[in-house]
Amino acid sequence: MTEEEKVKFEKLQNMSPFLGVLKTINPYDDVFSEYDSKYSMYFRIKRGEKEEFFIPSEINIRELVEKYPVTPMEKKYFEIKNFLKNMIQNNSILKDFEKPLNEYFEYSEKKISKMKEIENYYKSNEYKKDNFQKGKILDKEYEEILMSYSYYDSSLVSEFQNLESLSAKYLLNNLKNSGQTAAYNIFRIKFIISLINKKLYDDEFADEKNDNLTNQLEILGKDFKLAVSQAEKIKDSEIENEKMDIDKYKSYVKEAKKSIKNFYKGLKSLKNSNPNSDDDEFIIFEDEKYNNLQFYKDNEENEKMKIFYQ
């Protein structure tokens, strides 16, 4: 861990309430969630695998426009937006969130604008004149905006993944410096596996060349092998001194060693085919129980390491 990363993490630790607010960005979309739910219930119908516009009843039209007016939601949205923007501007350590948040605001304001159009269309009774022709167009445009949400959400998720990675590095650094070698080895393996999974399933790699992804995975594979090799050398007395469960430690390392073969089998398959093929799954641990093993005898110590289980 670099000194710059360490300083950044320590500053972020003191800002946990602010990070908590940022993490509510998805519930923050709850400003619109009830509207979304009612609109979907009254104006859309599922046909096969797809949803499409459904001509609503007069009662449902009146309920949407009268019980779920857009203006109060818009007001609440701008209150939250201003709070978040001020928080970012006044805390330079959060600057990495500025771009994805601005993109999210752009999405939200497109959504509000379309909601207003829909509201005005039905409040003015225009649908009675054109037999819902414009309503169908508005519905399609609204759905396109909703479908774009995953892009904006993934940008924010990526920033939180970066923070979680920073947190994991910080904890590993502390374990190493304090001489907790057994714990360092176990959680280093878990961290490397999390990085492998991130490389494999992150959307950002979808359009990259196969060589770029495989090269990065090869580097991680070498780290994986080294970490397991070092973990095997730890004596029972060292594990016991760190108040860790010897049997869990050994069974995890044994399974991790077996998983190296699975990893390289998947890597070989990836090199020879489409990187996005469903057939090329990397199975690090075939048995799910190994992902959630709690290594410390003390639950408080296990709780401190929860970042490695996310």
Side-chain angles (χ1 to χ4, degrees):
M1 184 179 204
T2 66
E3 189 62 30
E4 183 181 354
E5 287 177 324
K6 185 178 178 181
V7 170
K8 183 177 181 180
F9 177 77
E10 288 171 347
K11 286 182 179 179
L12 287 168
Q13 283 289 86
N14 296 326
M15 297 186 65
S16 56
F18 294 111
L19 293 176
V21 173
L22 277 171
K23 276 208 167 185
T24 65
I25 194 72
N26 289 348
Y28 151 43
D29 200 38
D30 284 348
V31 171
F32 313 113
S33 65
E34 202 166 0
Y35 177 96
D36 291 341
S37 174
K38 294 299 180 184
Y39 182 88
S40 179
M41 186 185 302
Y42 298 151
F43 292 75
R44 298 189 68 75
I45 189 170
K46 191 166 186 178
R47 298 190 191 280
E49 295 299 315
K50 295 182 179 180
E51 282 192 0
E52 57 185 54
F53 181 72
F54 175 76
I55 294 178
S57 68
E58 282 292 326
I59 293 173
N60 289 342
I61 290 172
R62 290 305 120 206
E63 180 170 343
L64 185 76
V65 298
E66 292 171 9
K67 289 189 178 181
Y68 304 97
V70 178
T71 300
M73 288 183 266
E74 181 181 28
K75 182 180 177 183
K76 180 67 175 175
Y77 159 76
F78 278 107
E79 286 174 0
I80 299 172
K81 175 184 176 180
N82 290 335
F83 174 80
L84 290 172
K85 284 185 77 72
N86 287 334
M87 184 178 72
I88 299 292
Q89 288 169 0
N90 294 327
N91 296 281
S92 59
I93 197 70
L94 298 174
K95 64 181 180 180
D96 292 341
F97 285 92
E98 187 170 14
K99 184 174 183 290
L101 267 181
N102 284 336
E103 290 172 344
Y104 188 81
F105 295 146
E106 180 185 352
Y107 155 79
S108 296
E109 283 156 39
K110 284 180 182 177
K111 183 175 181 177
I112 289 171
S113 176
K114 195 56 59 179
M115 287 164 65
K116 282 183 172 180
E117 281 190 68
I118 292 169
E119 182 179 68
N120 291 335
Y121 175 72
Y122 289 103
K123 281 182 78 172
S124 67
N125 293 322
E126 189 178 343
Y127 64 94
K128 293 179 180 178
K129 300 174 185 177
D130 71 355
N131 195 27
F132 293 96
Q133 290 305 305
K134 184 177 177 182
K136 293 176 184 177
I137 295 170
L138 290 172
D139 175 79
K140 184 179 179 181
E141 292 170 345
Y142 183 60
E143 182 66 11
E144 287 172 353
I145 292 169
L146 293 182
M147 293 298 289
S148 71
Y149 174 72
S150 59
Y151 164 76
Y152 300 102
D153 183 49
S154 64
S155 296
L156 284 166
V157 168
S158 178
E159 288 305 328
F160 278 108
Q161 285 176 337
N162 291 339
L163 285 183
E164 286 162 359
S165 177
L166 190 64
S167 178
K169 286 182 183 179
Y170 185 83
L171 288 171
L172 285 171
N173 191 60
N174 283 351
L175 289 171
K176 187 176 183 180
N177 291 339
S178 62
Q180 297 179 65
T181 313
Y184 171 76
N185 285 325
I186 283 292
F187 293 111
R188 183 184 172 201
I189 292 170
K190 288 184 73 68
F191 181 55
I192 291 168
I193 290 171
S194 74
L195 293 178
I196 290 170
N197 289 334
K198 187 174 186 298
K199 295 295 183 192
L200 286 169
Y201 301 112
D202 234 345
D203 288 343
E204 66 178 302
F205 285 93
D207 298 324
E208 289 188 11
K209 289 183 178 179
N210 194 23
D211 287 348
N212 193 25
L213 176 57
T214 53
N215 287 341
Q216 292 178 64
L217 287 172
E218 281 179 337
I219 293 170
L220 286 171
K222 290 177 182 177
D223 288 343
F224 189 16
K225 283 177 69 175
L226 179 62
V228 171
S229 173
Q230 291 177 338
E232 286 183 301
K233 297 173 184 176
I234 298 297
K235 297 177 182 178
D236 289 2
S237 58
E238 293 177 83
I239 301 169
E240 184 66 34
N241 286 340
E242 293 180 35
K243 297 182 171 56
M244 298 183 81
D245 187 299
I246 295 174
D247 289 338
K248 287 182 179 178
Y249 180 98
K250 287 188 169 181
S251 64
Y252 184 86
V253 173
K254 182 179 179 181
E255 193 68 18
K257 188 173 183 178
K258 285 163 55 179
S259 294
I260 293 172
K261 293 181 180 178
N262 293 335
F263 170 80
Y264 279 103
K265 182 180 177 182
L267 184 59
K268 182 178 180 181
S269 179
L270 183 65
K271 287 179 178 179
N272 296 327
S273 62
N274 182 346
N276 296 318
S277 171
D278 292 337
D279 297 328
D280 297 328
E281 289 189 19
F282 281 70
I283 303 174
I284 303 298
F285 285 129
E286 293 181 340
D287 192 334
E288 186 66 26
K289 71 180 181 182
Y290 290 100
N291 291 324
N292 299 311
L293 279 181
Q294 303 289 300
F295 299 102
Y296 286 104
K297 296 176 182 178
D298 184 340
N299 285 332
E300 285 188 18
E301 291 298 316
N302 286 322
E303 183 65 18
K304 290 177 185 176
M305 296 298 151
K306 63 183 180 181
I307 191 69
F308 293 100
Y309 295 91
Q310 294 180 7

